[in-house]
Amino acid sequence: MSLAEYEGQTALVTGAGSGIGKGAALTLARGGAYVGLLGRTEDELEETLAEIRAAGGEGMVLLADVSQEDEMAKAIDRLISERKALNIVVANAGINGTWAPIDDLKPDEFDKTIAVNLRGTYLTLHHTVRHMKKSGGSIIVISSINGTRTFTSPGATAYSATKAAQFAMVQQLALELGQHGIRINAICPGAIGTEIDDNTSMRKKAQTEVPVEFPEGDIPLTGGEAGTVEDVAEVIAFLASKASRHVTGTPIWVDGGQSLLR
Ligand code: NAD
């Protein structure tokens, strides 16, 4: 991929203030894309924009909660009024939410995880796809090993359900959107060093844990070390680029082999 791979293109990244979303935004901007940085945390998004500008790139901050229809409609309208087109969408914003036994997981806790991870992905696509239909483009949905290959994370029922549903949406929409020249793929990260643990509430782990002894280090490729934001961002960059022009409806596990083990 050349440095100017995305020159003249516009990207939208949700949850761009930290972790994988920030890494994706910086990488796409380095490749020449103008990046709409969407999220709820203004100071973090401004910091991402400052880093993009310091590296010679450009973008704009779009404040919105991905689960709120009106906020999403307004934020995406702002990006389109500024740029007139949209080529790349990274549906990344998400939370771990509450991990607890099913008989202890409260309806409000379940609803919250569904609202941010699944409704948020739906709203992101609902409001962006109509603009991408004009010129085609690439959508990358950040799912997880949980819900696609891994079902041993204690109490992660709501989270896994949203991540499985994202993968189902990707396959369904690959068919629906192919005729418009829009590709859509899923990235399923394993453990990545980000701030996501701050958005995790865990209860009664001992009740849901499956007693399995793993060999030393449960990420074969790294001897147990978590992956980095850049490990994921570079695969996002590939899926956004021409190099992946014949790839759609496909999951890519970015996990050092972790999900094959547990
Ligand atoms: P993170 O907490 O660093 O980043 C998530 C971002 O989403 C934050 O900037 C947060 O402010 C934003 N966000 C959360 N709720 C939002 C809402 N309602 N509206 C708008 N923005 C919101 O975590 P991360 O690890 O970078 O997570 C990004 C994605 O990667 C998530 O979808 C997560 O499920 C997925 N993922 C992460 C890992 C991991 O180990 N870190 C593994 C698999 C999948």
PDB file of all heavy atoms in Angstrom, residues 15-21 38-41 44 64-67 92-96 116-117 142-145 159 163 166 188-196 199, ligand 1:
ATOM      1  N   GLY A  15     -15.843   5.761  17.480  1.00  0.00           N
ATOM      2  CA  GLY A  15     -14.999   5.427  18.632  1.00  0.00           C
ATOM      3  C   GLY A  15     -13.548   5.772  18.348  1.00  0.00           C
ATOM      4  O   GLY A  15     -12.632   5.017  18.703  1.00  0.00           O
ATOM      5  N   ALA A  16     -13.328   6.936  17.731  1.00  0.00           N
ATOM      6  CA  ALA A  16     -11.983   7.297  17.250  1.00  0.00           C
ATOM      7  C   ALA A  16     -11.119   7.976  18.312  1.00  0.00           C
ATOM      8  O   ALA A  16      -9.998   8.383  18.027  1.00  0.00           O
ATOM      9  CB  ALA A  16     -12.104   8.209  16.025  1.00  0.00           C
ATOM     10  N   GLY A  17     -11.643   8.077  19.543  1.00  0.00           N
ATOM     11  CA  GLY A  17     -10.899   8.785  20.581  1.00  0.00           C
ATOM     12  C   GLY A  17      -9.887   7.924  21.313  1.00  0.00           C
ATOM     13  O   GLY A  17      -9.047   8.436  22.058  1.00  0.00           O
ATOM     14  N   SER A  18      -9.949   6.608  21.120  1.00  0.00           N
ATOM     15  CA  SER A  18      -9.005   5.739  21.841  1.00  0.00           C
ATOM     16  C   SER A  18      -8.885   4.393  21.132  1.00  0.00           C
ATOM     17  O   SER A  18      -9.631   4.096  20.193  1.00  0.00           O
ATOM     18  CB  SER A  18      -9.483   5.515  23.290  1.00  0.00           C
ATOM     19  OG  SER A  18     -10.725   4.836  23.298  1.00  0.00           O
ATOM     20  N   GLY A  19      -7.943   3.614  21.598  1.00  0.00           N
ATOM     21  CA  GLY A  19      -7.805   2.216  21.189  1.00  0.00           C
ATOM     22  C   GLY A  19      -7.750   1.987  19.689  1.00  0.00           C
ATOM     23  O   GLY A  19      -7.077   2.702  18.938  1.00  0.00           O
ATOM     24  N   ILE A  20      -8.483   0.970  19.251  1.00  0.00           N
ATOM     25  CA  ILE A  20      -8.446   0.522  17.851  1.00  0.00           C
ATOM     26  C   ILE A  20      -8.960   1.624  16.923  1.00  0.00           C
ATOM     27  O   ILE A  20      -8.404   1.843  15.839  1.00  0.00           O
ATOM     28  CB  ILE A  20      -9.281  -0.778  17.701  1.00  0.00           C
ATOM     29  CG1 ILE A  20      -8.588  -1.933  18.462  1.00  0.00           C
ATOM     30  CG2 ILE A  20      -9.498  -1.126  16.236  1.00  0.00           C
ATOM     31  CD1 ILE A  20      -9.433  -3.191  18.627  1.00  0.00           C
ATOM     32  N   GLY A  21      -9.992   2.346  17.335  1.00  0.00           N
ATOM     33  CA  GLY A  21     -10.549   3.408  16.497  1.00  0.00           C
ATOM     34  C   GLY A  21      -9.538   4.524  16.262  1.00  0.00           C
ATOM     35  O   GLY A  21      -9.381   5.027  15.142  1.00  0.00           O
ATOM     36  N   LEU A  38     -15.677  10.152  14.981  1.00  0.00           N
ATOM     37  CA  LEU A  38     -16.955  10.172  15.700  1.00  0.00           C
ATOM     38  C   LEU A  38     -16.825   9.493  17.060  1.00  0.00           C
ATOM     39  O   LEU A  38     -16.192   8.449  17.182  1.00  0.00           O
ATOM     40  CB  LEU A  38     -18.023   9.477  14.848  1.00  0.00           C
ATOM     41  CG  LEU A  38     -19.460   9.601  15.334  1.00  0.00           C
ATOM     42  CD1 LEU A  38     -20.432   9.645  14.147  1.00  0.00           C
ATOM     43  CD2 LEU A  38     -19.870   8.500  16.304  1.00  0.00           C
ATOM     44  N   GLY A  39     -17.446  10.108  18.061  1.00  0.00           N
ATOM     45  CA  GLY A  39     -17.454   9.516  19.395  1.00  0.00           C
ATOM     46  C   GLY A  39     -18.124  10.436  20.397  1.00  0.00           C
ATOM     47  O   GLY A  39     -18.693  11.476  20.028  1.00  0.00           O
ATOM     48  N   ARG A  40     -18.051  10.038  21.675  1.00  0.00           N
ATOM     49  CA  ARG A  40     -18.723  10.801  22.733  1.00  0.00           C
ATOM     50  C   ARG A  40     -17.767  11.655  23.540  1.00  0.00           C
ATOM     51  O   ARG A  40     -18.191  12.496  24.309  1.00  0.00           O
ATOM     52  CB  ARG A  40     -19.383   9.838  23.737  1.00  0.00           C
ATOM     53  CG  ARG A  40     -20.531   9.048  23.231  1.00  0.00           C
ATOM     54  CD  ARG A  40     -20.919   8.028  24.277  1.00  0.00           C
ATOM     55  NE  ARG A  40     -19.739   7.297  24.767  1.00  0.00           N
ATOM     56  CZ  ARG A  40     -19.750   6.357  25.685  1.00  0.00           C
ATOM     57  NH1 ARG A  40     -20.878   6.034  26.268  1.00  0.00           N
ATOM     58  NH2 ARG A  40     -18.643   5.739  26.041  1.00  0.00           N
ATOM     59  N   THR A  41     -16.471  11.412  23.403  1.00  0.00           N
ATOM     60  CA  THR A  41     -15.499  12.035  24.299  1.00  0.00           C
ATOM     61  C   THR A  41     -14.706  13.114  23.555  1.00  0.00           C
ATOM     62  O   THR A  41     -13.699  12.828  22.920  1.00  0.00           O
ATOM     63  CB  THR A  41     -14.522  10.969  24.818  1.00  0.00           C
ATOM     64  OG1 THR A  41     -14.079  10.209  23.678  1.00  0.00           O
ATOM     65  CG2 THR A  41     -15.174  10.018  25.800  1.00  0.00           C
ATOM     66  N   GLU A  44     -10.796  13.576  23.877  1.00  0.00           N
ATOM     67  CA  GLU A  44     -10.009  12.496  23.241  1.00  0.00           C
ATOM     68  C   GLU A  44     -10.043  12.610  21.713  1.00  0.00           C
ATOM     69  O   GLU A  44      -9.044  12.389  21.039  1.00  0.00           O
ATOM     70  CB  GLU A  44     -10.565  11.124  23.648  1.00  0.00           C
ATOM     71  CG  GLU A  44     -10.241  10.744  25.081  1.00  0.00           C
ATOM     72  CD  GLU A  44     -10.708   9.327  25.434  1.00  0.00           C
ATOM     73  OE1 GLU A  44     -11.584   8.771  24.727  1.00  0.00           O
ATOM     74  OE2 GLU A  44     -10.198   8.779  26.424  1.00  0.00           O
ATOM     75  N   ALA A  64     -21.060  12.354  18.874  1.00  0.00           N
ATOM     76  CA  ALA A  64     -22.331  11.610  18.839  1.00  0.00           C
ATOM     77  C   ALA A  64     -22.189  10.318  19.624  1.00  0.00           C
ATOM     78  O   ALA A  64     -21.113   9.728  19.697  1.00  0.00           O
ATOM     79  CB  ALA A  64     -22.732  11.284  17.403  1.00  0.00           C
ATOM     80  N   ASP A  65     -23.315   9.906  20.209  1.00  0.00           N
ATOM     81  CA  ASP A  65     -23.411   8.590  20.834  1.00  0.00           C
ATOM     82  C   ASP A  65     -23.946   7.651  19.741  1.00  0.00           C
ATOM     83  O   ASP A  65     -25.018   7.920  19.179  1.00  0.00           O
ATOM     84  CB  ASP A  65     -24.392   8.690  22.013  1.00  0.00           C
ATOM     85  CG  ASP A  65     -24.577   7.373  22.738  1.00  0.00           C
ATOM     86  OD1 ASP A  65     -24.517   6.312  22.087  1.00  0.00           O
ATOM     87  OD2 ASP A  65     -24.806   7.407  23.962  1.00  0.00           O
ATOM     88  N   VAL A  66     -23.226   6.581  19.441  1.00  0.00           N
ATOM     89  CA  VAL A  66     -23.623   5.722  18.311  1.00  0.00           C
ATOM     90  C   VAL A  66     -24.999   5.077  18.491  1.00  0.00           C
ATOM     91  O   VAL A  66     -25.601   4.626  17.521  1.00  0.00           O
ATOM     92  CB  VAL A  66     -22.589   4.602  18.000  1.00  0.00           C
ATOM     93  CG1 VAL A  66     -21.334   5.163  17.376  1.00  0.00           C
ATOM     94  CG2 VAL A  66     -22.295   3.746  19.214  1.00  0.00           C
ATOM     95  N   SER A  67     -25.493   5.038  19.731  1.00  0.00           N
ATOM     96  CA  SER A  67     -26.794   4.403  19.954  1.00  0.00           C
ATOM     97  C   SER A  67     -27.960   5.387  19.775  1.00  0.00           C
ATOM     98  O   SER A  67     -29.119   4.997  19.861  1.00  0.00           O
ATOM     99  CB  SER A  67     -26.843   3.765  21.347  1.00  0.00           C
ATOM    100  OG  SER A  67     -26.791   4.762  22.342  1.00  0.00           O
ATOM    101  N   ASN A  92     -16.572   0.843  14.682  1.00  0.00           N
ATOM    102  CA  ASN A  92     -15.670   0.325  15.716  1.00  0.00           C
ATOM    103  C   ASN A  92     -16.156   0.554  17.143  1.00  0.00           C
ATOM    104  O   ASN A  92     -15.865  -0.249  18.019  1.00  0.00           O
ATOM    105  CB  ASN A  92     -14.296   1.000  15.523  1.00  0.00           C
ATOM    106  CG  ASN A  92     -13.415   0.903  16.743  1.00  0.00           C
ATOM    107  OD1 ASN A  92     -12.819  -0.132  17.011  1.00  0.00           O
ATOM    108  ND2 ASN A  92     -13.351   1.986  17.522  1.00  0.00           N
ATOM    109  N   ALA A  93     -16.904   1.648  17.396  1.00  0.00           N
ATOM    110  CA  ALA A  93     -17.269   1.992  18.776  1.00  0.00           C
ATOM    111  C   ALA A  93     -17.936   0.803  19.448  1.00  0.00           C
ATOM    112  O   ALA A  93     -18.808   0.153  18.860  1.00  0.00           O
ATOM    113  CB  ALA A  93     -18.210   3.194  18.785  1.00  0.00           C
ATOM    114  N   GLY A  94     -17.530   0.522  20.672  1.00  0.00           N
ATOM    115  CA  GLY A  94     -18.138  -0.603  21.375  1.00  0.00           C
ATOM    116  C   GLY A  94     -17.702  -0.636  22.830  1.00  0.00           C
ATOM    117  O   GLY A  94     -16.742   0.024  23.218  1.00  0.00           O
ATOM    118  N   ILE A  95     -18.457  -1.386  23.609  1.00  0.00           N
ATOM    119  CA  ILE A  95     -18.138  -1.570  25.027  1.00  0.00           C
ATOM    120  C   ILE A  95     -18.176  -3.065  25.352  1.00  0.00           C
ATOM    121  O   ILE A  95     -18.877  -3.823  24.680  1.00  0.00           O
ATOM    122  CB  ILE A  95     -19.146  -0.829  25.952  1.00  0.00           C
ATOM    123  CG1 ILE A  95     -20.600  -1.256  25.615  1.00  0.00           C
ATOM    124  CG2 ILE A  95     -18.981   0.679  25.843  1.00  0.00           C
ATOM    125  CD1 ILE A  95     -21.631  -0.792  26.618  1.00  0.00           C
ATOM    126  N   ASN A  96     -17.440  -3.439  26.378  1.00  0.00           N
ATOM    127  CA  ASN A  96     -17.594  -4.807  26.888  1.00  0.00           C
ATOM    128  C   ASN A  96     -18.901  -4.931  27.658  1.00  0.00           C
ATOM    129  O   ASN A  96     -19.517  -5.979  27.689  1.00  0.00           O
ATOM    130  CB  ASN A  96     -16.423  -5.169  27.807  1.00  0.00           C
ATOM    131  CG  ASN A  96     -15.222  -5.695  27.027  1.00  0.00           C
ATOM    132  OD1 ASN A  96     -15.318  -5.973  25.841  1.00  0.00           O
ATOM    133  ND2 ASN A  96     -14.085  -5.821  27.702  1.00  0.00           N
ATOM    134  N   VAL A 116     -25.252  -0.062  22.306  1.00  0.00           N
ATOM    135  CA  VAL A 116     -23.994   0.526  21.814  1.00  0.00           C
ATOM    136  C   VAL A 116     -23.408  -0.336  20.692  1.00  0.00           C
ATOM    137  O   VAL A 116     -23.106   0.162  19.605  1.00  0.00           O
ATOM    138  CB  VAL A 116     -22.970   0.678  22.963  1.00  0.00           C
ATOM    139  CG1 VAL A 116     -21.646   1.227  22.421  1.00  0.00           C
ATOM    140  CG2 VAL A 116     -23.526   1.597  24.058  1.00  0.00           C
ATOM    141  N   ASN A 117     -23.282  -1.631  20.929  1.00  0.00           N
ATOM    142  CA  ASN A 117     -22.541  -2.482  19.982  1.00  0.00           C
ATOM    143  C   ASN A 117     -23.354  -2.839  18.737  1.00  0.00           C
ATOM    144  O   ASN A 117     -22.812  -2.830  17.633  1.00  0.00           O
ATOM    145  CB  ASN A 117     -22.094  -3.781  20.664  1.00  0.00           C
ATOM    146  CG  ASN A 117     -21.073  -3.532  21.771  1.00  0.00           C
ATOM    147  OD1 ASN A 117     -20.732  -2.400  22.066  1.00  0.00           O
ATOM    148  ND2 ASN A 117     -20.604  -4.596  22.387  1.00  0.00           N
ATOM    149  N   ILE A 142     -15.837  -3.803  13.359  1.00  0.00           N
ATOM    150  CA  ILE A 142     -14.959  -4.408  14.360  1.00  0.00           C
ATOM    151  C   ILE A 142     -15.793  -5.305  15.270  1.00  0.00           C
ATOM    152  O   ILE A 142     -16.498  -4.831  16.175  1.00  0.00           O
ATOM    153  CB  ILE A 142     -14.177  -3.340  15.165  1.00  0.00           C
ATOM    154  CG1 ILE A 142     -13.489  -2.336  14.225  1.00  0.00           C
ATOM    155  CG2 ILE A 142     -13.157  -4.033  16.084  1.00  0.00           C
ATOM    156  CD1 ILE A 142     -12.534  -2.939  13.193  1.00  0.00           C
ATOM    157  N   SER A 143     -15.723  -6.595  14.996  1.00  0.00           N
ATOM    158  CA  SER A 143     -16.414  -7.608  15.794  1.00  0.00           C
ATOM    159  C   SER A 143     -15.444  -8.075  16.884  1.00  0.00           C
ATOM    160  O   SER A 143     -14.813  -7.244  17.550  1.00  0.00           O
ATOM    161  CB  SER A 143     -16.865  -8.739  14.857  1.00  0.00           C
ATOM    162  OG  SER A 143     -17.391  -9.830  15.557  1.00  0.00           O
ATOM    163  N   SER A 144     -15.275  -9.359  17.063  1.00  0.00           N
ATOM    164  CA  SER A 144     -14.393  -9.884  18.115  1.00  0.00           C
ATOM    165  C   SER A 144     -14.194 -11.380  17.910  1.00  0.00           C
ATOM    166  O   SER A 144     -14.962 -12.016  17.182  1.00  0.00           O
ATOM    167  CB  SER A 144     -15.036  -9.661  19.496  1.00  0.00           C
ATOM    168  OG  SER A 144     -14.278 -10.281  20.521  1.00  0.00           O
ATOM    169  N   ILE A 145     -13.186 -11.944  18.586  1.00  0.00           N
ATOM    170  CA  ILE A 145     -13.122 -13.408  18.646  1.00  0.00           C
ATOM    171  C   ILE A 145     -14.326 -13.930  19.435  1.00  0.00           C
ATOM    172  O   ILE A 145     -14.866 -14.988  19.138  1.00  0.00           O
ATOM    173  CB  ILE A 145     -11.796 -13.928  19.271  1.00  0.00           C
ATOM    174  CG1 ILE A 145     -11.567 -13.411  20.692  1.00  0.00           C
ATOM    175  CG2 ILE A 145     -10.618 -13.591  18.386  1.00  0.00           C
ATOM    176  CD1 ILE A 145     -10.395 -14.083  21.418  1.00  0.00           C
ATOM    177  N   TYR A 159     -22.279  -9.455  25.258  1.00  0.00           N
ATOM    178  CA  TYR A 159     -21.197  -8.991  24.368  1.00  0.00           C
ATOM    179  C   TYR A 159     -21.039  -9.938  23.171  1.00  0.00           C
ATOM    180  O   TYR A 159     -21.030  -9.514  22.019  1.00  0.00           O
ATOM    181  CB  TYR A 159     -19.890  -8.912  25.166  1.00  0.00           C
ATOM    182  CG  TYR A 159     -18.702  -8.415  24.371  1.00  0.00           C
ATOM    183  CD1 TYR A 159     -18.568  -7.068  24.068  1.00  0.00           C
ATOM    184  CD2 TYR A 159     -17.714  -9.290  23.928  1.00  0.00           C
ATOM    185  CE1 TYR A 159     -17.468  -6.600  23.332  1.00  0.00           C
ATOM    186  CE2 TYR A 159     -16.616  -8.844  23.197  1.00  0.00           C
ATOM    187  CZ  TYR A 159     -16.494  -7.490  22.904  1.00  0.00           C
ATOM    188  OH  TYR A 159     -15.424  -7.037  22.177  1.00  0.00           O
ATOM    189  N   LYS A 163     -21.440  -9.380  19.012  1.00  0.00           N
ATOM    190  CA  LYS A 163     -20.315  -9.585  18.097  1.00  0.00           C
ATOM    191  C   LYS A 163     -20.677 -10.625  17.033  1.00  0.00           C
ATOM    192  O   LYS A 163     -20.279 -10.517  15.877  1.00  0.00           O
ATOM    193  CB  LYS A 163     -19.066  -9.984  18.888  1.00  0.00           C
ATOM    194  CG  LYS A 163     -18.586  -8.869  19.836  1.00  0.00           C
ATOM    195  CD  LYS A 163     -18.091  -7.694  19.034  1.00  0.00           C
ATOM    196  CE  LYS A 163     -18.064  -6.390  19.762  1.00  0.00           C
ATOM    197  NZ  LYS A 163     -17.611  -5.268  18.926  1.00  0.00           N
ATOM    198  N   GLN A 166     -22.962  -8.811  14.618  1.00  0.00           N
ATOM    199  CA  GLN A 166     -22.214  -7.953  13.680  1.00  0.00           C
ATOM    200  C   GLN A 166     -21.686  -8.785  12.507  1.00  0.00           C
ATOM    201  O   GLN A 166     -21.731  -8.360  11.355  1.00  0.00           O
ATOM    202  CB  GLN A 166     -21.025  -7.299  14.383  1.00  0.00           C
ATOM    203  CG  GLN A 166     -21.387  -6.144  15.298  1.00  0.00           C
ATOM    204  CD  GLN A 166     -20.127  -5.571  15.951  1.00  0.00           C
ATOM    205  OE1 GLN A 166     -19.292  -6.321  16.473  1.00  0.00           O
ATOM    206  NE2 GLN A 166     -19.979  -4.273  15.919  1.00  0.00           N
ATOM    207  N   CYS A 188     -12.034  -9.461  13.616  1.00  0.00           N
ATOM    208  CA  CYS A 188     -12.331 -10.095  14.901  1.00  0.00           C
ATOM    209  C   CYS A 188     -11.052 -10.102  15.736  1.00  0.00           C
ATOM    210  O   CYS A 188     -10.276 -11.069  15.675  1.00  0.00           O
ATOM    211  CB  CYS A 188     -12.823 -11.518  14.681  1.00  0.00           C
ATOM    212  SG  CYS A 188     -14.208 -11.638  13.531  1.00  0.00           S
ATOM    213  N   PRO A 189     -10.817  -9.027  16.505  1.00  0.00           N
ATOM    214  CA  PRO A 189      -9.584  -9.000  17.292  1.00  0.00           C
ATOM    215  C   PRO A 189      -9.660  -9.940  18.488  1.00  0.00           C
ATOM    216  O   PRO A 189     -10.730 -10.173  19.054  1.00  0.00           O
ATOM    217  CB  PRO A 189      -9.494  -7.542  17.779  1.00  0.00           C
ATOM    218  CG  PRO A 189     -10.522  -6.783  16.990  1.00  0.00           C
ATOM    219  CD  PRO A 189     -11.585  -7.784  16.633  1.00  0.00           C
ATOM    220  N   GLY A 190      -8.475 -10.448  18.875  1.00  0.00           N
ATOM    221  CA  GLY A 190      -8.332 -11.110  20.173  1.00  0.00           C
ATOM    222  C   GLY A 190      -7.972 -10.037  21.187  1.00  0.00           C
ATOM    223  O   GLY A 190      -8.304  -8.859  20.995  1.00  0.00           O
ATOM    224  N   ALA A 191      -7.287 -10.422  22.269  1.00  0.00           N
ATOM    225  CA  ALA A 191      -6.917  -9.429  23.288  1.00  0.00           C
ATOM    226  C   ALA A 191      -5.976  -8.392  22.690  1.00  0.00           C
ATOM    227  O   ALA A 191      -4.926  -8.727  22.148  1.00  0.00           O
ATOM    228  CB  ALA A 191      -6.239 -10.129  24.456  1.00  0.00           C
ATOM    229  N   ILE A 192      -6.393  -7.124  22.762  1.00  0.00           N
ATOM    230  CA  ILE A 192      -5.603  -6.013  22.243  1.00  0.00           C
ATOM    231  C   ILE A 192      -5.456  -5.009  23.385  1.00  0.00           C
ATOM    232  O   ILE A 192      -6.432  -4.747  24.112  1.00  0.00           O
ATOM    233  CB  ILE A 192      -6.329  -5.331  21.047  1.00  0.00           C
ATOM    234  CG1 ILE A 192      -6.657  -6.334  19.925  1.00  0.00           C
ATOM    235  CG2 ILE A 192      -5.512  -4.143  20.506  1.00  0.00           C
ATOM    236  CD1 ILE A 192      -5.459  -6.960  19.215  1.00  0.00           C
ATOM    237  N   GLY A 193      -4.271  -4.451  23.535  1.00  0.00           N
ATOM    238  CA  GLY A 193      -4.026  -3.497  24.627  1.00  0.00           C
ATOM    239  C   GLY A 193      -4.715  -2.162  24.349  1.00  0.00           C
ATOM    240  O   GLY A 193      -4.186  -1.349  23.615  1.00  0.00           O
ATOM    241  N   THR A 194      -5.927  -1.949  24.893  1.00  0.00           N
ATOM    242  CA  THR A 194      -6.667  -0.683  24.717  1.00  0.00           C
ATOM    243  C   THR A 194      -7.298  -0.306  26.061  1.00  0.00           C
ATOM    244  O   THR A 194      -7.026  -0.935  27.080  1.00  0.00           O
ATOM    245  CB  THR A 194      -7.803  -0.817  23.672  1.00  0.00           C
ATOM    246  OG1 THR A 194      -8.821  -1.662  24.211  1.00  0.00           O
ATOM    247  CG2 THR A 194      -7.309  -1.385  22.360  1.00  0.00           C
ATOM    248  N   GLU A 195      -8.220   0.669  26.007  1.00  0.00           N
ATOM    249  CA  GLU A 195      -8.881   1.110  27.244  1.00  0.00           C
ATOM    250  C   GLU A 195     -10.193   0.363  27.508  1.00  0.00           C
ATOM    251  O   GLU A 195     -10.977   0.769  28.363  1.00  0.00           O
ATOM    252  CB  GLU A 195      -9.202   2.613  27.156  1.00  0.00           C
ATOM    253  CG  GLU A 195      -8.017   3.524  27.375  1.00  0.00           C
ATOM    254  CD  GLU A 195      -7.329   3.882  26.059  1.00  0.00           C
ATOM    255  OE1 GLU A 195      -6.509   3.082  25.576  1.00  0.00           O
ATOM    256  OE2 GLU A 195      -7.614   4.939  25.520  1.00  0.00           O
ATOM    257  N   ILE A 196     -10.458  -0.721  26.751  1.00  0.00           N
ATOM    258  CA  ILE A 196     -11.792  -1.336  26.821  1.00  0.00           C
ATOM    259  C   ILE A 196     -12.108  -1.893  28.212  1.00  0.00           C
ATOM    260  O   ILE A 196     -13.270  -1.945  28.606  1.00  0.00           O
ATOM    261  CB  ILE A 196     -11.984  -2.413  25.727  1.00  0.00           C
ATOM    262  CG1 ILE A 196     -13.499  -2.649  25.498  1.00  0.00           C
ATOM    263  CG2 ILE A 196     -11.244  -3.718  26.062  1.00  0.00           C
ATOM    264  CD1 ILE A 196     -13.870  -3.226  24.175  1.00  0.00           C
ATOM    265  N   ASN A 199     -14.454  -0.084  30.397  1.00  0.00           N
ATOM    266  CA  ASN A 199     -15.886  -0.184  30.101  1.00  0.00           C
ATOM    267  C   ASN A 199     -16.409  -1.585  30.357  1.00  0.00           C
ATOM    268  O   ASN A 199     -17.312  -2.053  29.685  1.00  0.00           O
ATOM    269  CB  ASN A 199     -16.143   0.184  28.634  1.00  0.00           C
ATOM    270  CG  ASN A 199     -15.980   1.661  28.410  1.00  0.00           C
ATOM    271  OD1 ASN A 199     -16.538   2.458  29.149  1.00  0.00           O
ATOM    272  ND2 ASN A 199     -15.187   2.025  27.423  1.00  0.00           N
TER     273      ASN A 199
HETATM  274  P1  NAD B   1     -11.705   1.473  23.734  1.00  0.00           P
HETATM  275  O1  NAD B   1     -12.563   1.544  24.954  1.00  0.00           O
HETATM  276  O2  NAD B   1     -10.300   1.940  23.808  1.00  0.00           O
HETATM  277  O3  NAD B   1     -12.405   2.230  22.525  1.00  0.00           O
HETATM  278  C1  NAD B   1     -13.798   2.234  22.303  1.00  0.00           C
HETATM  279  C2  NAD B   1     -14.189   3.616  21.832  1.00  0.00           C
HETATM  280  O4  NAD B   1     -15.594   3.636  21.586  1.00  0.00           O
HETATM  281  C3  NAD B   1     -13.913   4.691  22.895  1.00  0.00           C
HETATM  282  O5  NAD B   1     -13.286   5.790  22.264  1.00  0.00           O
HETATM  283  C4  NAD B   1     -15.289   5.052  23.411  1.00  0.00           C
HETATM  284  O6  NAD B   1     -15.389   6.405  23.835  1.00  0.00           O
HETATM  285  C5  NAD B   1     -16.141   4.795  22.182  1.00  0.00           C
HETATM  286  N1  NAD B   1     -17.541   4.565  22.542  1.00  0.00           N
HETATM  287  C6  NAD B   1     -18.022   3.708  23.488  1.00  0.00           C
HETATM  288  N2  NAD B   1     -19.352   3.802  23.543  1.00  0.00           N
HETATM  289  C7  NAD B   1     -19.723   4.735  22.615  1.00  0.00           C
HETATM  290  C8  NAD B   1     -20.966   5.265  22.218  1.00  0.00           C
HETATM  291  N3  NAD B   1     -22.125   4.894  22.775  1.00  0.00           N
HETATM  292  N4  NAD B   1     -20.986   6.209  21.238  1.00  0.00           N
HETATM  293  C9  NAD B   1     -19.813   6.626  20.657  1.00  0.00           C
HETATM  294  N5  NAD B   1     -18.625   6.157  21.010  1.00  0.00           N
HETATM  295  C10 NAD B   1     -18.573   5.221  21.982  1.00  0.00           C
HETATM  296  O7  NAD B   1     -11.761  -0.051  23.279  1.00  0.00           O
HETATM  297  P2  NAD B   1     -11.205  -0.824  21.977  1.00  0.00           P
HETATM  298  O8  NAD B   1     -10.617  -2.056  22.496  1.00  0.00           O
HETATM  299  O9  NAD B   1     -10.434   0.046  21.076  1.00  0.00           O
HETATM  300  O10 NAD B   1     -12.608  -1.230  21.300  1.00  0.00           O
HETATM  301  C11 NAD B   1     -12.946  -0.943  19.960  1.00  0.00           C
HETATM  302  C12 NAD B   1     -13.726  -2.106  19.366  1.00  0.00           C
HETATM  303  O11 NAD B   1     -12.889  -3.251  19.334  1.00  0.00           O
HETATM  304  C13 NAD B   1     -14.967  -2.502  20.162  1.00  0.00           C
HETATM  305  O12 NAD B   1     -16.052  -2.726  19.271  1.00  0.00           O
HETATM  306  C14 NAD B   1     -14.569  -3.795  20.844  1.00  0.00           C
HETATM  307  O13 NAD B   1     -15.647  -4.646  21.084  1.00  0.00           O
HETATM  308  C15 NAD B   1     -13.601  -4.361  19.811  1.00  0.00           C
HETATM  309  N6  NAD B   1     -12.666  -5.351  20.358  1.00  0.00           N
HETATM  310  C16 NAD B   1     -11.696  -5.005  21.249  1.00  0.00           C
HETATM  311  C17 NAD B   1     -10.841  -5.993  21.747  1.00  0.00           C
HETATM  312  C18 NAD B   1      -9.738  -5.676  22.748  1.00  0.00           C
HETATM  313  O14 NAD B   1      -9.140  -6.609  23.301  1.00  0.00           O
HETATM  314  N7  NAD B   1      -9.428  -4.442  23.010  1.00  0.00           N
HETATM  315  C19 NAD B   1     -10.999  -7.315  21.346  1.00  0.00           C
HETATM  316  C20 NAD B   1     -11.999  -7.635  20.445  1.00  0.00           C
HETATM  317  C21 NAD B   1     -12.837  -6.647  19.951  1.00  0.00           C
END
